[in-house]
Amino acid sequence: MVLIFCSNFVRKLHIMTAEEKTIALFATRVRQMMLLYKRVCQENEQLKQELEKCNEEKGKLEEQLKTRQDDYDSLMTAKMLQVSEGDMEAAKARLAKLIRSVNKCITLLSEK
């Protein structure tokens, strides 16, 4: 009887030790998950800050792009309105040629 009691006690001790190991392992895993969670939260906060900076920079760049696009449009409009010296000289030459041609026609008509 004492032998059976001792063997049952040893078995229960072995089972409790296995349960204790399982509990200790579980507690360790929970602590690891908590540490991992803290790291993920810190990384998430850093990423949020980076995203905020990127959004601010994007806004500034979009504003610069709009300003530069407006400047470009203004320059193109001014260029279309601007008459260069070469264009002016060519226009004067064409006009002089037309005037000479009209004068020749008038002279021919007056002779008849």
Side-chain angles (χ1 to χ4, degrees), residues 10-56:
V10 170
R11 261 192 240 145
K12 284 182 183 177
L13 206 98
H14 181 33
I15 291 173
M16 289 185 78
T17 304
E19 287 174 357
E20 287 174 353
K21 285 181 183 179
T22 303
I23 291 172
L25 180 62
F26 180 73
T28 302
R29 296 280 165 85
V30 169
R31 281 193 299 274
Q32 289 173 342
M33 287 183 69
M34 289 170 63
L35 290 173
L36 182 62
Y37 174 76
K38 285 180 183 178
R39 274 191 245 137
V40 169
C41 286
Q42 289 172 348
E43 183 180 353
N44 189 27
E45 191 60 37
Q46 289 173 346
L47 290 173
K48 284 180 183 179
Q49 290 173 359
E50 285 181 40
L51 179 63
E52 183 68 28
K53 287 179 185 176
C54 288
N55 285 335
E56 288 174 8

Side-chain angles (χ1 to χ4, degrees), residues 36-81:
L36 182 62
Y37 174 76
K38 285 180 183 178
R39 274 191 245 137
V40 169
C41 286
Q42 289 172 348
E43 183 180 353
N44 189 27
E45 191 60 37
Q46 289 173 346
L47 290 173
K48 284 180 183 179
Q49 290 173 359
E50 285 181 40
L51 179 63
E52 183 68 28
K53 287 179 185 176
C54 288
N55 285 335
E56 288 174 8
E57 186 176 349
K58 178 186 170 216
K60 289 177 185 176
L61 290 173
E62 286 176 342
E63 188 176 314
Q64 286 179 357
L65 177 64
K66 171 118 177 64
T67 301
R68 296 216 170 121
Q69 186 66 40
D70 291 343
D71 290 347
Y72 175 78
D73 292 341
S74 296
L75 286 172
M76 290 306 292
T77 303
K79 184 164 176 72
M80 287 189 305
L81 297 176

Side-chain angles (χ1 to χ4, degrees), residues 5-7 9 15 18 24 31 36 52 67 91 97-98 103 109:
F5 175 75
C6 285
S7 69
F9 180 73
I15 291 173
R31 281 193 299 274
L36 182 62
E52 183 68 28
T67 301
K97 186 177 179 182
L98 284 172
N103 284 340
L109 287 174

